Amino acid sequence: MIWIVFWLVIVAILWGATNPLMKKGGAGIENIHKDSTVKQFLAELQFLICNWKYLVPFVINQSGSIVFYLTLASAELSLAVPITNSLTFLVTTVTGYLMGENIGGKETILGMCLVLAGVTLCVWDKT
């Protein structure tokens, strides 16, 4: 059971830590303007694929998806989804803060503590 929780936390870290990096790496995509929907899509796709600042975090993020998929084979869905989703939120917020993003005030910190307490209770109940 502890190994399942360990791998779910790893997934949350892989997803959460890469979210702000992908956001930062994808900056500038809003400046691409083409005259048709298809050309717009292809230009944006080319921008992202050729941009290592976006592509590296994206590949790491997707490796988290692979670990999540493999972990689901032995994890209870009622445990896996709350752990990964809530901890991904926490890791995304902390990573964003470390990168200089505004994460909000005391309410955000309180919310993060409540989420962490909820995940702890969820894991505790299942063990």
Side-chain angles (χ1 to χ4, degrees):
M1 177 63 160
I2 193 73
W3 285 107
I4 293 171
V5 173
F6 170 79
W7 287 113
L8 294 174
V9 170
I10 294 297
V11 169
I13 291 169
L14 290 171
W15 283 348
T18 56
N19 285 339
L21 294 172
M22 287 190 301
K23 179 181 175 184
K24 186 174 183 178
I29 196 168
E30 64 278 355
N31 298 328
I32 298 173
H33 301 290
K34 298 294 177 186
D35 55 352
S36 75
T37 306
V38 174
K39 288 181 183 179
Q40 179 74 26
F41 171 75
L42 293 174
E44 290 176 1
L45 186 62
Q46 178 186 8
F47 174 83
L48 294 175
I49 289 173
C50 295
N51 184 355
W52 70 269
K53 290 179 182 179
Y54 176 83
L55 195 59
V56 171
F58 177 76
V59 170
I60 294 169
N61 185 285
Q62 292 307 299
S63 70
S65 298
I66 293 169
V67 173
F68 182 69
Y69 177 77
L70 294 173
T71 306
L72 282 181
S74 55
E76 291 183 43
L77 200 56
S78 64
L79 183 66
V81 173
I83 288 176
T84 53
N85 287 348
S86 57
L87 293 182
T88 297
F89 162 72
L90 291 177
V91 175
T92 299
T93 304
V94 170
T95 304
Y97 174 76
L98 293 174
M99 291 177 58
E101 293 181 9
N102 181 12
I103 62 165
K106 295 176 184 175
E107 294 85 5
T108 302
I109 304 295
L110 175 63
M112 290 171 59
C113 291
L114 291 173
V115 166
L116 192 56
V119 169
T120 302
L121 290 174
C122 189
V123 171
W124 189 7
D125 181 55
K126 296 292 181 180
T127 56

